[in-house]
């Protein structure tokens, strides 16, 4: 499995953009970058994923570098409800292979009023 | 309707007991998982089933036995519970390996 590296914690002012980095230098060509978050002790929640191109949905934007060795999750206007642990993981595409989805330690984002 | 539901939400039991946690998904997904999150908040995969077939079995004591009666259910049975089994257990499902995973709300198991 490709491993990911994230800063353990970050602060962001409410209303500002939160930029969460992730390094995945050993990612292989068929592996997607996924982002999940876990609010307090709830179940992890899917945010967004991408392969090569930048992606945007109603929750966030995902910027993947051209060499795919790193990515950034952007929450454009952070709110207090975005305070959570954010996990960046890599996972294979639908190749029929059965590989485990492994969570790292994530980044604890604290949104400050 | 809840996509992935686990029961019970809380479970307090004594050492040595046997207990089960149930998980059901109504998404029509093929693959289901059990994760354990300990006091250090690290989410670790335990098992994965695809269409009732075991495909991932991490280094988990054999006191833990998953059972999948059909592809919508993946139950976790734990024998001879130990203090170290205290954790939050999450069930999840995906349509296929590598696609978006949906998680249940967790079962907080406390062994006393």
């Amino acid at each position: 499995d490709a491993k990911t590296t994230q800063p353990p914690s970050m602060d962001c002012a409410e209303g500002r953009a939160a930029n969460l980095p992730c390094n995945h230098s050993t990612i292989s060509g068929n592996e997607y970058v996924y982002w999940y978050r876990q609010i307090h002790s709830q179940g992890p929640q899917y945010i967004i994923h991408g392969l090569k191109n930048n992606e945007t949905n109603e929750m966030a934007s995902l910027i993947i570098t051209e060499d795919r060795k790193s990515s950034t999750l952007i929450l454009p206007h952070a709110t207090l409800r975005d305070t959570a642990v954010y996990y960046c993981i890599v996972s294979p595409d639908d190749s029929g292979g059965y590989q485990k989805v492994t969570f790292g330690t994530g980044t604890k984002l604290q949104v400050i009023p | 309707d809840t996509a992935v539901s686990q029961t019970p939400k809380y479970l307090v039991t004594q050492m040595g007991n046997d207990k089960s946690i149930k998980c059901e998904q109504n998404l029509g997904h093929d693959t289901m998982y059990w994760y354990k999150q300990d006091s250090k908040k690290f989410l670790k995969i335990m098992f994965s089933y695809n269409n009732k077939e075991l495909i991932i079995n991490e280094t988990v004591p054999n006191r833990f036995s998953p059972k999948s009666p059909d592809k919508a259910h993946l139950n976790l049975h734990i024998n001879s519970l130990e203090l170290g089994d205290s954790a939050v257990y999450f069930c999840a499902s995906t349509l296929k390996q590598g696609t978006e995973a949906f998680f249940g709300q967790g079962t907080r198991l406390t062994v006393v």
Side-chain angles (χ1 to χ4, degrees):
Chain A
D1 291 341
K3 294 183 178 179
T4 62
T5 304
Q6 300 177 251
S9 63
M10 292 182 63
D11 290 339
C12 179
E14 188 178 16
R16 303 297 293 269
N19 298 293
L20 292 93
C22 180
N23 287 322
H24 30 79
S25 58
T26 60
I27 193 170
S28 62
N30 68 343
E31 289 184 315
Y32 281 75
V33 179
Y34 280 78
W35 283 84
Y36 289 81
R37 72 180 182 183
Q38 188 175 24
I39 297 174
H40 193 46
S41 295
Q42 298 177 19
Q45 175 191 24
Y46 166 82
I47 301 173
I48 198 168
H49 74 285
L51 183 63
K52 296 181 181 178
N53 300 322
N54 298 335
E55 302 287 343
T56 295
N57 63 21
E58 65 279 3
M59 290 182 67
S61 295
L62 174 60
I63 308 298
I64 303 173
T65 58
E66 192 169 343
D67 63 8
R68 303 210 325 124
K69 292 184 177 182
S70 65
S71 61
T72 300
L73 178 74
I74 301 173
L75 307 178
H77 305 287
T79 70
L80 298 179
R81 288 180 295 180
D82 292 322
T83 293
V85 177
Y86 287 77
Y87 297 97
C88 167
I89 64 175
V90 294
S91 184
D93 65 359
D94 178 25
S95 62
Y98 300 121
Q99 297 184 31
K100 55 184 180 284
V101 174
T102 305
F103 288 80
T105 53
T107 296
K108 182 171 176 54
L109 176 69
Q110 182 72 48
V111 180
I112 303 168
Chain B
D1 284 344
T2 303
V4 181
S5 59
Q6 299 177 224
T7 54
K9 189 173 181 180
Y10 300 96
L11 182 56
V12 180
T13 188
Q14 291 185 327
M15 286 176 57
N17 284 349
D18 303 337
K19 291 292 180 184
S20 292
I21 306 172
K22 295 184 177 181
C23 179
E24 175 182 6
Q25 53 94 5
N26 61 4
L27 299 166
H29 285 173
D30 299 315
T31 308
M32 297 184 72
Y33 310 77
W34 277 108
Y35 286 82
K36 178 181 180 181
Q37 189 168 40
D38 59 23
S39 57
K40 295 181 180 179
K41 303 297 184 182
F42 191 66
L43 263 169
K44 186 173 181 180
I45 192 168
M46 301 173 68
F47 301 102
S48 176
Y49 270 71
N50 186 75
N51 284 324
K52 301 193 298 176
E53 180 182 347
L54 179 66
I55 55 174
I56 295 173
N57 185 350
E58 287 296 288
T59 308
V60 178
N62 57 15
R63 299 182 295 104
F64 290 77
S65 53
K67 288 183 172 55
S68 182
D70 54 61
K71 76 172 192 177
H73 296 83
L74 181 62
N75 304 322
L76 184 64
H77 188 77
I78 315 170
N79 290 325
S80 303
L81 279 156
E82 302 177 354
L83 293 177
D85 298 332
S86 295
V88 181
Y89 292 84
F90 288 100
C91 177
S93 73
T94 59
L95 182 58
K96 297 176 183 177
Q97 269 285 357
T99 57
E100 171 191 350
F102 289 79
F103 284 80
Q105 287 305 297
T107 296
R108 182 174 294 277
L109 172 65
T110 303
V111 183
V112 296

